Amino acid sequence: AQSVTQLDSQVPVFEEAPVELRCNYSSSVSVYLFWYVQYPNQGLQLLLKYLSGSTLVKGINGFEAEFNKSQTSFHLREPSVHISDTAEYFCAVSDLSWGKFQFGAGTQVVVTP
Amino acid sequence: NAGVTQTPKFRVLKTGQSMTLLCAQDMNHEYMYWYRQDPGMGLRLIHYSVGEGTTAKGEVPDGYNVSRLKKQNFLLGLESAAPSQTSVYFCASRTSETNTGELFFGEGSRLTVL
């Protein structure tokens, strides 16, 4: 079984400032890792994913995340946020078989001018 | 391209009433899922299906039933609604190819049980 912990429930940030959203996971097997974004009143959209290869993955809108196997972390970073990045962000893990996803509780990012 | 479509988008029920949420996907995906989203709890898996005619329980299946009679449709039923089932419900689907892994979500169905 897997579990996902998002360490911050809410992150306020000023426009054009950097932001880091923390995600730690636990699993007894190898996993895939994902970040999803949910804009207000919408479903979740994939932001980026780590399946294999380079531990630094880049996603849409300038977001990137780094997989750290020794620390079992997959933190998300954005070097310069925009007002439009205001949303809830979910970290998720999936095993390598048929893909049962486990989601974190979410981190609400509020970007202000 | 519609992707994943959920109906209805909003519904208000009285305790004890029944209803069915419909999820339809046009991507020929094998796997389909029903999640509920509650504040501070992320998404919790209710039931899932790995193919037409198959269903299985997820993390929080009590009070819900599902059916997958056609590959493109996944129905979630509440036989006797309770206030604890007030939530936003999301359907998702994905291909069975493990080298992609991405879940595609519908826009959600907001259910209120009075």
Side-chain angles (χ1 to χ4, degrees):
Chain A
Q2 299 98 37
S3 68
V4 180
T5 302
Q6 290 185 240
L7 298 166
D8 307 291
S9 60
Q10 189 164 13
V11 175
V13 58
F14 289 111
E15 190 176 16
E16 297 184 2
V19 69
E20 179 179 79
L21 308 184
R22 297 177 293 170
C23 173
N24 287 93
Y25 71 94
S26 66
S27 176
S28 57
V29 298
S30 296
V31 294
Y32 296 145
L33 295 153
F34 305 82
W35 276 99
Y36 283 84
V37 58
Q38 184 181 31
Y39 299 106
N41 299 313
Q42 294 187 26
L44 280 71
Q45 305 172 32
L46 183 68
L47 198 55
L48 50 77
K49 61 185 177 184
Y50 172 77
L51 304 181
S52 65
S54 173
T55 57
L56 182 64
V57 292
K58 295 185 182 297
I60 60 174
N61 300 335
F63 283 91
E64 63 181 30
E66 185 156 19
F67 169 55
N68 187 319
K69 188 174 183 178
S70 63
Q71 296 186 5
T72 60
S73 68
F74 191 53
H75 300 334
L76 179 71
R77 300 184 187 92
E78 166 59 65
S80 177
V81 296
H82 304 285
I83 298 291
S84 59
D85 293 323
T86 293
E88 190 155 21
Y89 294 79
F90 292 93
C91 182
V93 300
S94 166
D95 61 52
L96 270 59
S97 58
W98 63 268
K100 193 173 181 180
F101 283 69
Q102 184 71 39
F103 286 85
T107 298
Q108 181 69 45
V109 173
V110 180
V111 182
T112 54
Chain B
N1 191 358
V4 179
T5 303
Q6 294 180 227
T7 53
K9 289 183 171 42
F10 301 93
R11 186 73 187 269
V12 179
L13 291 177
K14 294 181 180 179
T15 297
Q17 287 185 319
S18 63
M19 75 158 295
T20 300
L21 297 177
L22 170 64
C23 176
Q25 53 94 5
D26 61 3
M27 296 173 282
N28 201 35
H29 285 168
E30 292 80 12
Y31 301 152
M32 296 187 75
Y33 308 78
W34 274 108
Y35 289 91
R36 60 177 289 172
Q37 183 181 27
D38 302 291
M41 303 188 75
L43 276 75
R44 292 181 292 169
L45 182 64
I46 305 171
H47 286 279
Y48 62 94
S49 169
V50 299
E52 181 178 321
T54 72
T55 63
K57 295 180 180 180
E59 185 183 352
V60 289
D62 294 342
Y64 305 94
N65 56 75
V66 288
S67 65
R68 183 115 181 253
L69 299 179
K70 295 182 178 181
K71 186 177 184 179
Q72 64 267 34
N73 295 337
F74 194 30
L75 278 64
L76 177 70
L78 286 73
E79 290 187 345
S80 180
S84 60
Q85 294 177 303
T86 293
S87 187
V88 182
Y89 293 85
F90 286 98
C91 177
S93 71
R94 65 177 285 266
T95 176
S96 60
E97 296 176 13
T98 57
N99 62 352
T100 57
E102 179 181 355
L103 283 177
F104 292 83
F105 283 86
E107 292 190 343
S109 298
R110 185 175 295 274
L111 175 65
T112 301
V113 183
L114 302 176

